[in-house]
Amino acid sequence: MQGKFIVIDGLDGSGKTTQTKIIAEKLASKGIDAVIQAEPTGGEYGKMCREALSGARKCSKSQLALLFTADRIDHNLNEKDGINLNLNMGRTVISDRYYYSTLAYQGVDVGMNWLKSLNIGCSDIRKPDLCVFLDLAPEKSMERINVGRSPDEIEIYENITYLTSIRKRFFNVIEMLGDRENIAVINADGSVEGVASEIENAIMKLY
């Protein structure tokens, strides 16, 4: 039996990483083998994406968009630990970010139609069984981002102006994808346990 592919997406600071770990543990307690992954990945293209986000690698906006897409294709097809491999082994894959982030963060800069064609139109990029979008006000997002981090650790998209614009774009993406996608929008401004419970409820509808 093939596993399920679940994406946890949202603004930086929305709790994606924390919730991904909690959900994997909850699924494991139900006897569901879950694998945690993230984008950018730890692969060659993912490393280049991270370098660009930190400012260490100089590239144009369209080059960065292509790097993210190349990393996503590798995330799907990688024969060592890719999405397809894990799903075919019956494991549930939970990914921290996916093409929703690319469309929201870069769609305006390089053209939404082009990005949509690269990602949604690519046969090697799988559609998730469920995307959980963790919605959080940009001000709250920045509060969480700034906790325990020095200024030189802040990435290029992590400022209030960008985050306000990107949150709006996320909802544009959700509306644009329409009936094609199974997307659950969850308020991330609650307790960790409360948000996890809502995510769990959305995920268990798949089983």
Side-chain angles (χ1 to χ4, degrees):
M1 180 177 175
Q2 190 173 64
K4 302 297 184 182
F5 179 32
I6 300 162
V7 172
I8 310 293
D9 219 324
L11 294 179
D12 296 292
S14 59
K16 300 183 309 303
T17 303
T18 297
Q19 293 297 340
T20 297
K21 293 177 181 177
I22 293 173
I23 292 304
E25 292 172 357
K26 285 180 175 288
L27 291 178
S29 71
K30 300 177 186 295
I32 299 171
D33 187 8
V35 177
I36 296 174
Q37 299 188 341
E39 291 190 358
T41 70
E44 179 182 357
Y45 295 112
K47 290 176 182 177
M48 288 190 281
C49 289
R50 294 182 190 281
E51 289 172 359
L53 289 172
S54 70
R57 173 182 290 270
K58 302 299 182 184
C59 63
S60 71
K61 292 176 180 179
S62 58
Q63 286 174 319
L64 180 58
L66 286 172
L67 282 176
F68 274 118
T69 303
D71 184 46
R72 186 160 299 121
I73 293 172
D74 185 57
H75 187 192
N76 276 266
L77 303 181
N78 190 297
E79 296 182 354
K80 181 180 179 181
D81 60 356
I83 295 170
N84 292 346
L85 175 68
N86 280 291
L87 294 181
N88 290 335
M89 294 177 68
R91 297 170 179 154
T92 287
V93 176
I94 308 174
S95 180
D96 181 341
R97 290 204 186 283
Y98 201 53
Y99 53 61
Y100 311 92
S101 282
T102 294
L103 293 171
Y105 279 75
Q106 299 171 292
V108 172
D109 294 331
V110 301
M112 182 65 77
N113 289 337
W114 181 59
L115 272 185
K116 185 178 178 182
S117 175
L118 284 175
N119 287 269
I120 309 299
C122 179
S123 61
D124 287 331
I125 296 179
R126 178 183 292 268
K127 181 178 74 171
D129 294 293
L130 171 67
C131 170
V132 174
F133 174 66
L134 297 179
D135 184 32
L136 188 67
E139 294 78 10
K140 288 281 187 178
S141 177
M142 281 306 305
E143 285 179 16
R144 295 182 182 181
I145 289 170
N146 289 327
V147 172
R149 293 174 66 177
S150 61
D152 60 351
E153 293 178 313
I154 304 298
E155 294 183 344
I156 58 175
Y157 289 115
E158 294 177 338
N159 63 70
I160 194 68
T161 301
Y162 259 120
L163 292 176
T164 299
S165 174
I166 290 165
R167 179 174 180 265
K168 181 178 180 180
R169 287 189 232 168
F170 261 120
F171 280 102
N172 289 341
V173 169
I174 292 170
E175 182 179 4
M176 175 187 69
L177 294 177
D179 295 335
R180 179 190 184 278
E181 302 276 347
N182 181 18
I183 303 176
V185 178
I186 292 176
N187 183 359
D189 194 20
S191 67
V192 172
E193 296 79 10
V195 173
S197 179
E198 289 192 53
I199 296 173
E200 181 182 9
N201 290 339
I203 288 175
M204 293 314 298
K205 293 177 182 178
L206 299 176
Y207 296 92

